[in-house]
């Protein structure tokens, strides 16, 4: 695969972005009722995939046995991930609260399918969240991710499929439907679902967009609003597109235009809203821009950092790199794959691609050059 399709992140680092909205887990642990806990867990499951919005770059495959560790004392968790299999590629992760209030673990085995103009990544592997205070375990699987126009046209991403979150102690289940884009893009990014008890009685409705926010409302109010909406639906029917369309195999898939923001039903409560990204985040990660930045640094006499991936076992090197998706503050991580790599990652004060990179002297670490 051409390097232009990659972003300079290991897949193990990318997994840590699940924890961007870890406050939802802390909130769930403090809720007294199982229905309220399921609402927060459902919001966390949706927020875990929100960082993929507009992230069309593919992370680099980790080496077998490679690990990545992240500790965020300010957010109250520690996280470690490891590449446990190379063929097929399987990544496992484990996280725990520093206050011993939760455990979050699982494995990811993405099954890739190439459909000509798009690549579909079907996530295989179960994700488990344990709330230790309540002796509860929740399990689910992430939705399917699809990147369009991999051959020609502008890349764009969507997620679709059914996600079922099960509380194994009480029997409560949350069923979330990540809707596909559709012909006119009306359902782009939309998520709808419900929470039911062990008798399959619907208790709570959830709706929103996985790229923006998630709202919830009781089932009776939701059905009443939908009935009123259907009465006036004939006034808002979409006009059919122009019939003069080229064959699907001849052109790229048009990037759908996102519809108006989520329509909030009166009486709804906000379950989750996505964090604001850094203002220049869209210009940081494209790998094809890195070669131009490297030539610019060398032209002006600046040094270029290099990261070593082979050498004497037990050696180490340090590098500082900007990051896009996770927890836009500062984080420290450790990556190892035969040798030990220590990475300190920061997003503060970024002016452009690689603005915060600093070279490291390998002589001081005892490495043979």
């Amino acid at each position: 695969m051409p390097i232009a399709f990659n972003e300079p992140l290991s897949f193990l680092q990318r997994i840590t972005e699940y924890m961007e909205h870890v406050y939802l887990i802390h909130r769930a642990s403090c809720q007294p009722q199982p229905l309220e806990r399921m609402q927060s867990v459902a919001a966390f499951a949706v927020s875990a995939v929100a960082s993929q919005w507009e992230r069309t770059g593919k992370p680099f495959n980790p080496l077998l046995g490679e690990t990545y560790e992240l500790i965020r004392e300010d957010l109250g968790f520690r996280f470690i991930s490891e590449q446990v299999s190379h063929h097929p590629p399987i990544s496992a992760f484990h996280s725990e609260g520093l206050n011993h209030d939760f455990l979050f673990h699982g494995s990811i085995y993405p099954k890739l399918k190439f459909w000509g103009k798009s690549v579909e990544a079907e996530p295989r592997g179960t994700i488990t969240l344990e709330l230790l205070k309540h002796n509860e375990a929740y399990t689910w699987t992430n939705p399917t991710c699809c990147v369009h126009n991999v051959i020609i046209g502008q890349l764009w991403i969507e997620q679709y499929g059914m996600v079922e979150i099960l509380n194994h102690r009480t029997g409560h289940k949350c069923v979330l439907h990540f809707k596909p884009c559709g012909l006119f893009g009306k359902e782009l990014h939309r998520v709808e679902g419900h929470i039911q008890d062990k008798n399959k009685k619907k208790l709570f409705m959830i709706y929103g967009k996985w790229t923006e926010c998630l709202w919830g409302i009781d089932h009776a109010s939701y059905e009443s609003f939908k009935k009123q909406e259907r009465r006036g639906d004939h006034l808002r029917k979409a006009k059919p597109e122009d019939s003069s369309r080229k064959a699907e195999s001849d052109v790229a898939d048009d990037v759908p235009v996102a519809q108006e923001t989520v329509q909030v039903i009166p009486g709804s409560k906000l379950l989750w809203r996505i964090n604001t990204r850094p203002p220049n985040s869209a210009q940081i990660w494209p790998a094809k821009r890195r070669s131009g930045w490297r030539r610019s640094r060398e032209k002006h006499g600046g040094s270029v950092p290099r990261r070593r991936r082979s050498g004497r076992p037990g050696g180490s090197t340090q590098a500082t790199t900007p990051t896009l998706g996770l927890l836009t503050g500062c984080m420290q991580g450790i990556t190892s794959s035969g040798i030990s790599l220590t990475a300190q990652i920061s997003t503060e004060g970024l002016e452009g691609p690689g603005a915060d990179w600093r070279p490291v002297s390998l002589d001081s670490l005892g490495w043979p050059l």
Side-chain angles (χ1 to χ4, degrees):
M1 180 177 290
I3 193 66
F5 289 104
N6 289 92
E7 65 177 15
L9 275 182
S10 166
F11 184 70
L12 299 180
Q13 292 174 278
R14 185 77 174 259
I15 295 176
T16 60
E17 297 177 8
Y18 285 178
M19 307 301 292
E20 182 172 0
H21 301 273
V22 69
Y23 71 90
L24 294 168
I25 299 181
H26 298 308
R27 186 172 71 185
S29 183
C30 297
Q31 297 288 355
Q33 299 298 324
L35 178 59
E36 297 174 340
R37 292 195 293 272
M38 179 61 83
Q39 294 171 16
S40 297
V41 172
F44 174 76
V46 174
S47 72
V49 299
S51 67
Q52 298 184 27
W53 175 45
E54 295 182 341
R55 298 280 294 284
T56 55
K58 175 185 176 297
F60 287 99
N61 294 332
L63 301 179
L64 179 62
E66 182 176 340
T67 64
Y68 182 80
E69 182 179 3
L70 171 66
I71 300 176
R72 288 296 301 264
E73 295 183 357
D74 56 332
L75 298 177
F77 75 91
R78 63 169 60 92
F79 187 101
I80 186 169
S81 54
E82 179 180 358
Q83 190 73 4
V84 296
S85 175
H86 189 61
H87 289 294
I90 301 177
S91 303
F93 64 91
H94 180 91
S95 178
E96 61 183 26
L98 298 181
N99 296 325
H100 307 288
D101 52 345
F102 74 88
L103 294 177
F104 180 57
H105 53 88
S107 60
I108 299 177
Y109 164 31
K111 181 66 175 179
L112 298 181
K113 297 180 181 179
F114 182 66
W115 298 107
K117 295 187 297 182
S118 63
V119 174
E120 184 181 82
E122 177 187 352
R124 298 185 178 182
T126 302
I127 297 175
T128 302
L129 172 64
E130 299 181 36
L131 299 181
L132 303 180
K133 178 181 177 181
H134 304 282
N135 194 27
E136 291 179 343
Y138 301 80
T139 58
W140 69 89
T141 301
N142 283 333
T144 298
C145 178
C146 185
V147 179
H148 294 267
N149 297 338
V150 294
I151 302 299
I152 186 174
Q154 181 181 349
L155 293 172
W156 61 279
I157 190 172
E158 66 171 328
Q159 300 198 72
Y160 47 79
M162 195 74 69
V163 174
E164 294 186 354
I165 307 171
L166 177 62
N167 184 334
H168 290 268
R169 188 178 71 86
T170 65
H172 285 75
K173 179 188 288 188
C174 179
V175 181
L176 296 174
H177 184 201
F178 286 71
K179 296 190 174 183
C181 172
L183 182 60
F184 303 106
K186 182 179 179 181
E187 304 295 336
L188 183 64
H189 305 325
R190 293 193 178 273
V191 180
E192 288 187 1
H194 64 271
I195 299 175
Q196 63 187 33
D197 60 15
K198 60 181 179 181
N199 298 320
K200 299 184 178 181
K201 178 184 178 181
K202 293 183 179 179
L203 305 175
F204 196 78
M205 304 301 295
I206 295 176
Y207 64 96
K209 290 186 178 182
W210 62 267
T211 58
E212 296 181 19
C213 57
L214 210 60
W215 295 82
I217 191 173
D218 66 274
H219 181 253
S221 300
Y222 181 84
E223 290 298 326
S224 176
F225 179 83
K226 286 298 181 182
K227 287 181 181 179
Q228 296 178 5
E229 190 179 53
R230 282 192 291 268
R231 292 194 187 103
D233 190 55
H234 65 282
L235 301 176
R236 301 190 300 271
K237 286 186 178 179
K239 296 181 179 179
E241 279 190 340
D242 187 0
S243 58
S244 58
R245 294 172 60 92
K246 295 184 179 180
E248 183 179 354
S249 59
D250 297 335
V251 296
D253 293 331
D254 293 335
V255 180
V257 178
Q259 303 295 315
E260 70 279 357
T261 187
V262 178
Q263 181 182 9
V264 181
I265 301 175
S268 300
K269 70 174 182 178
L270 180 66
L271 302 179
W272 160 78
R273 188 180 298 277
I274 194 171
N275 291 336
T276 304
R277 289 182 176 178
N280 60 339
S281 61
Q283 286 77 42
I284 293 177
W285 274 138
K288 60 185 179 180
R289 297 172 60 92
R290 297 182 68 204
S291 58
W293 166 77
R294 180 181 294 271
R295 290 192 298 268
S296 176
R297 288 286 295 263
E298 292 174 339
K299 179 179 178 181
H300 293 86
S303 56
V304 178
R306 291 171 172 84
R307 301 185 69 171
R308 192 176 180 115
R309 295 199 59 130
S310 63
R312 187 175 61 203
S316 64
T317 180
Q318 290 186 335
T320 302
T321 60
T323 186
L324 165 65
L326 172 71
L327 312 171
T328 59
C330 185
M331 70 180 182
Q332 290 185 340
I334 301 175
T335 310
S336 65
S337 54
I339 61 175
S340 174
L341 297 178
T342 303
Q344 180 180 353
I345 303 176
S346 173
T347 58
E348 297 179 357
L350 292 177
E351 297 293 338
D356 199 32
W357 285 52
R358 292 189 292 274
V360 174
S361 172
L362 299 180
D363 293 332
S364 61
L365 302 173
W367 275 48
L369 300 178

